[in-house]
């Protein structure tokens, strides 16, 4: 049986290539029906901010990759509530529905997966 994997996205959408690489891994894993989920943590929560202006910073817009996740069977999306609060995104509409987790819920989520990959 395939091991379950949690991809932990900690980088902002334009802070380098890590955000794009995490989405590429998720899409590839989904294409092969691997059991995986994504957790947006720290500056990674900015990937879920709606109405991003990628062209303003001369970067590729990641919103199409985010929307493709569900088409590839990647439906388990989580976001750290503390990270949303600390970055002023709490209560704001997100680009994708992600389940907020905090405290003990976050620890339980990490324990549920066989592999944790942080990008």
């Amino acid at each position: 049986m395939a091991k379950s994997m949690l991809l932990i996205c900690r980088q902002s959408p334009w802070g380098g290539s890590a955000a794009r690489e995490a989405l590429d891994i998720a899409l590839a894993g989904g294409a092969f029906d691997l059991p995986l989920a994504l957790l947006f943590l720290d500056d990674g929560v900015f990937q879920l901010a709606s109405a991003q202006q990628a062209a303003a910073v001369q970067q590729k817009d990641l919103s199409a990759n985010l929307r493709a996740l569900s088409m590839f069977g990647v439906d388990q999306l989580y976001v750290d509530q503390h990270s949303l609060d600390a970055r002023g995104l709490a209560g704001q509409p997100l680009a994708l529905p992600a389940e907020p987790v905090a405290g003990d819920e976050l620890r339980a989520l990490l324990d549920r997966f066989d592999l944790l990959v942080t990008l």
Side-chain angles (χ1 to χ4, degrees):
M1 181 163 163
K3 292 191 178 235
S4 61
M5 178 172 40
L6 179 65
L7 292 169
I8 303 171
C9 304
R10 298 185 73 180
Q11 302 299 316
S12 68
W14 309 300
S17 63
R20 187 173 32 260
E21 290 170 0
L23 291 176
D24 288 346
I25 291 168
L27 292 170
F32 289 101
D33 293 324
L34 296 176
L36 63 89
L38 278 95
L39 168 64
F40 296 90
L41 182 71
D42 298 331
D43 285 344
V45 299
F46 286 121
Q47 294 181 44
L48 296 174
S50 53
Q52 297 184 21
Q53 302 294 321
V57 290
Q58 298 177 349
Q59 295 290 321
K60 180 182 174 192
D61 188 354
L62 298 179
S63 62
N65 296 43
L66 285 168
R67 286 190 307 271
L69 289 171
S70 65
M71 292 186 303
F72 285 80
V74 181
D75 298 323
Q76 296 181 63
L77 305 177
Y78 303 93
V79 61
D80 176 52
Q81 185 64 53
H82 175 73
S83 298
L84 287 174
D85 294 341
R87 287 154 182 83
L89 295 176
Q92 305 247 346
L94 299 177
L96 289 175
E99 182 180 334
V101 292
D104 290 339
E105 294 173 317
L106 180 57
R107 282 184 283 285
L109 176 67
L110 296 175
D111 289 340
R112 271 191 12 222
F113 291 88
D114 298 315
L115 302 170
L116 304 176
V117 178
T118 303
L119 294 163

